[in-house]
Amino acid sequence: MIAPCSYLDDMTGAFNRAVFDKDIDRAILYHRSSNKPISVMLLNFDYFCQFNAAYGYKKGDDTIRICIQSMQMQIRRYYDALYRYDTNTFALVAPNTNKANGRVLANKLLQSLFSSQIEHKNSPEHYVTASIGGVTLDTAIAISSADELLMSADNALLSAKIAGKNRVAWL
């Protein structure tokens, strides 16, 4: 029997939270030494509790797997990485990515997800959608820790949810 890779999420194939925790710290150190921007995004599936209630957890797991695989196809640079942050929230770290390019990537992820056209009868869009909150660490932003960076991305994600879901919000 082959042991699963300890750095990947078993269900989705995205990197796991332990890898994220190490990589986000490295990304901040890289930014400090290079002054190059880093964009960080949190992506959360919309109405996913309702999806699981309507279709079951097995279908929910299968759907998340399909969605993440579809979105990973949009991540073209080898140093950009997608991570499972928690149950149905994912993080993306994109070094050397300014705010404008971060927003472009986030919108590509949403378009990729929507083009999958996975039925969701309890969503106003009738398909599985997600919301993305992002932040770019650059010389204009004084963030000193991973916790502060993630809090900013989480606040942006909350803004996207409050504004109606199925959208990108950026701080």
Side-chain angles (χ1 to χ4, degrees), residues 1 5 23 25 43 46 52 65 76 79 89 97 118 146-147:
M1 183 167 137
C5 294
D23 285 357
D25 288 335
L43 177 147
D46 300 325
N52 283 334
R65 184 179 311 106
R76 308 251 186 234
Y79 49 82
T89 303
T97 304
I118 299 171
D147 288 342

Side-chain angles (χ1 to χ4, degrees), residues 16-136:
N16 65 29
R17 177 65 185 266
V19 174
F20 172 78
D21 290 341
K22 290 177 184 173
D23 285 357
I24 194 72
D25 288 335
R26 274 186 244 165
I28 291 171
L29 288 173
Y30 171 76
H31 163 72
R32 286 182 185 151
S33 67
S34 69
N35 282 328
K36 293 187 177 177
I38 297 166
S39 289
V40 176
M41 299 167 223
L42 291 177
L43 177 147
N44 181 268
F45 292 100
D46 300 325
Y47 306 103
F48 218 74
C49 289
Q50 295 88 335
F51 184 91
N52 283 334
Y55 300 97
Y57 288 99
K58 168 86 171 81
K59 176 83 171 171
D61 289 350
D62 291 344
T63 297
I64 287 176
R65 184 179 311 106
I66 291 165
C67 292
I68 293 304
Q69 288 170 353
S70 172
M71 286 187 267
Q72 283 179 319
M73 302 288 285
Q74 301 304 312
I75 301 169
R76 308 251 186 234
R77 300 181 311 177
Y78 73 90
Y79 49 82
D80 295 343
L82 188 63
Y83 307 82
R84 184 135 195 207
Y85 189 73
D86 69 18
T87 307
N88 71 332
T89 303
F90 291 78
L92 187 131
V93 177
N96 299 327
T97 304
N98 63 26
K99 183 177 181 176
N101 289 334
R103 289 182 66 94
V104 167
L105 178 57
N107 281 303
K108 282 183 182 180
L109 296 175
L110 287 187
Q111 285 186 328
S112 171
L113 173 61
F114 195 75
S115 70
S116 297
Q117 302 260 307
I118 299 171
E119 179 187 353
H120 185 345
K121 63 184 177 186
N122 292 331
S123 167
E125 303 291 335
H126 305 292
Y127 297 106
V128 172
T129 61
S131 299
I132 297 176
V135 63
T136 299

